[in-house]
């Protein structure tokens, strides 16, 4: 079995500072990366910034600075955000780096050599905000302004000499690939959207621009720069040192296991990208997953709509782990999700402070009072203990499988239910009434500690800092977390001392919102 796992986030436009939608893509990718890591995989996790194109050039002009200087500054805020979000990314790529330029120009040369590129003229609609071409049918007029149906962004007419990629030539091959690889585009609903788009007929794609200069030059024709999406998509290869296909990174990690993206950029990843790769005879990524949007009210949160919830502000106020937990739990993965401070506060209070935090504190306090602060010995599991412990064993393979199908909701529901059952178990078993049955008392405490350990392991991909704080009870460190060990019911060593820990989550005093 392939034990290498390559996951990517979209590379972000550094046109403005990061918002919650960007944080969401990155946090979810980090969740998968961390899970795979504790499940024994070698993980390569890539994120970065997408710095070329007219959108960035105009944003820089507006500020009166050179595009590179503009990008340096904002790209740094994205790099900092990766740290603030506690991402385990292995690399952070910028499309203005030399390694990337080499890779893009090389891919261009291969496409040209394979007769997939020709020079002609483009006349049609272009949205600078989406950096996308639109057909007449995809454009409508609202209040005298032409906008793209899908994104509602303004389009402008473009009329210029351009190189084209023979996208139409790959229509059948793409449809065949989707059919042979039913999971390539996920979730299913998005797959259908893409298939009908391709079936409606693919036109050749304009892949160069002449009327501005901020980008990677077309090899052998300095007047043209390469279309920003062809440039940007190639980041997934350049980070692995393409065109050096003998490089270990490339050999180990290509094809990518998962391109995690937002649904708005599915066409680029599920149509154009595989077509470029087919044309260049490079293996196709295993999966493209298009997640939903973070909404504010009923609308997509975005800079242009001015309805941004700033992730940094939220983190300063509530802490990182609560935000990670909230986004992973409350936004049903694959669908759009509305977020609010109110719901975030409920989540902190009920799930994190009450359900998880309290369980840890209760069991620790009881262990100190009744078992000398040590992991009990002299234990014998009965059927109640085994029932709650065996749930982890029974679900090990199921959880792996769900993760491979990006069923984040299953994973988090499993944890929430386990926490609920663990609290119930401790209440129902009433260890405080077993003071004259030492073996039973010990067994209940051992079982409860074992469950805290298992749940903390499972929480690691979601709330890494808090999970590690909880694992301080047992002096377990990050490198010791192994997902497969949730099936071991005797992981904890009897007679070892446990540690008291600080309160994991402070409850939020809720303001009366009425
Ligand atoms: N630069 C391109 C991606 C190139 S990948 C080769 C781009 N950048 S972006 O900054 O506009 O968006 C990056 C990601 O953030 C996209 O996946 C997009 O879907 C996601 N989000 C932006 N706003 C969002 C929400 N409000 N909610 C969730 N994700 C959204 O597109």
């Amino acid at each position: 079995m392939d034990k290498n796992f390559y996951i990517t986030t979209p590379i972000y436009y550094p046109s403005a500072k990061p918002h919650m939608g960007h944080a969401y893509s990155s946090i979810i990718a980090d969740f998968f990366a961390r899970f795979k890591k504790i499940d024994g995989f070698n993980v390569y996790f890539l994120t970065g910034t997408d710095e070329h194109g007219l959108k960035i050039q105009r944003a820089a002009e507006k500020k009166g600075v050179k595009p590179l200087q503009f990008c340096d500054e904002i790209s740094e805020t994205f790099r900092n955000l990766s740290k603030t979000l506690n991402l385990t990314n292995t690399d952070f790529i910028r499309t203005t780096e030399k390694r990337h330029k080499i890779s893009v120009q090389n891919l261009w040369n291969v496409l040209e050599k394979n007769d997939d590129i020709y020079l002609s003229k483009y006349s049609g609609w272009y949205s600078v905000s989406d950096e996308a071409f639109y057909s007449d049918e995809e454009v409508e007029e609202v209040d005298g302004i032409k906008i793209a149906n899908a994104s509602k962004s303004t389009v402008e007419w473009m009329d210029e000499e351009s190189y084209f990629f023979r996208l139409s030539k790959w229509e059948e091959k793409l449809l065949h690939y989707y059919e042979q690889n039913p999971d390539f585009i996920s979730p299913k609903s998005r797959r259908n959207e893409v298939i009908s788009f391709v079936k409606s007929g693919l036109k050749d794609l304009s892949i160069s621009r002449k009327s501005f200069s901020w980008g990677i030059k077309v090899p052998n024709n300095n007047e043209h720069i390469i279309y920003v999406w062809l440039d940007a998509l190639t980041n997934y290869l350049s980070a692995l040192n393409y065109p050096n296909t003998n490089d270990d990174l490339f050999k180990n990690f290509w094809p990518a296991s998962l391109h995690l993206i937002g649904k708005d950029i599915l066409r680029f990843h599920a149509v154009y990208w595989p077509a470029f790769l087919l044309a260049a005879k490079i293996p196709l990524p295993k999966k493209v997953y298009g997640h939903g949007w973070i909404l504010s009210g009923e609308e997509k949160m975005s800079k242009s709509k001015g309805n941004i919830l700033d992730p940094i502000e939220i983190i300063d106020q509530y802490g990182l782990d609560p935000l990670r937990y909230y986004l992973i739990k409350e936004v049903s993965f694959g669908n759009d999700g509305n977020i609010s401070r109110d719901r975030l506060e409920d989540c902190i209070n009920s799930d994190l402070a009450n359900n998880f935090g309290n369980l840890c504190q209760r069991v620790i306090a009881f262990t100190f009072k009744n078992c000398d602060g040590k992991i009990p010995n002299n234990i014998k599991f009965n059927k109640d203990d085994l029932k709650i412990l065996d749930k982890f064993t029974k679900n090990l393979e199921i959880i792996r499988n769900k993760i491979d199908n990006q069923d984040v909701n299953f994973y988090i529901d499993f944890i929430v239910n386990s926490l609920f059952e663990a609290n119930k178990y401790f209440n129902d078993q009433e260890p405080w009434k077993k003071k004259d049955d030492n073996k039973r008392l010990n067994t209940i405490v051992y079982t409860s500690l074992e469950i805290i350990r298992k749940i903390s392991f499972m929480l690691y991909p979601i709330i890494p800092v808090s999970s590690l704080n909880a694992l301080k009870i047992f002096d377990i460190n990050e490198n010791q977390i192994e997902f497969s060990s949730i099936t071991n019911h005797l992981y904890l060593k009897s007679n070892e001392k446990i540690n008291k820990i600080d309160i994991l989550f402070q409850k939020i005093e809720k303001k009366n919102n009425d």
Side-chain angles (χ1 to χ4, degrees), residues 379-390 425 429 434 440 443-444 447:
I379 58 168
K380 189 169 190 304
F381 296 135
N382 73 13
K383 69 171 192 346
D384 289 343
D385 314 324
L386 286 173
K387 188 172 165 223
I388 189 160
L389 291 167
D390 281 345
Y425 166 87
Q429 295 298 321
K434 304 284 175 347
R440 188 63 207 138
T443 307
I444 297 166
T447 304

Side-chain angles (χ1 to χ4, degrees), residues 8-16 19-26 48-52 55 78 95 129-131 228-236 260-266 268-269 273 289-296 299-303 307-308 331 336-337:
T8 64
T9 71
I11 47 170
Y12 305 106
Y13 289 127
S15 50
H19 65 68
M20 199 60 88
H22 305 132
Y24 180 67
S25 281
S26 289
T49 42
D50 178 1
E51 306 187 8
H52 293 131
K55 177 178 168 122
F78 277 93
T95 54
S129 169
D130 304 345
E131 295 284 17
V228 64
W229 272 101
L230 171 54
D231 165 344
L233 287 159
T234 309
N235 90 90
Y236 303 133
L260 191 71
I261 56 164
K263 62 180 183 178
D264 48 327
I265 54 173
L266 196 60
F268 304 97
H269 283 80
W273 182 226
Y289 191 101
H291 64 66
W293 286 336
I294 304 289
L295 304 177
S296 176
E299 287 195 313
K300 181 184 177 211
M301 193 176 285
S302 75
K303 187 191 148 225
N307 56 2
I308 304 287
V331 182
D336 293 349

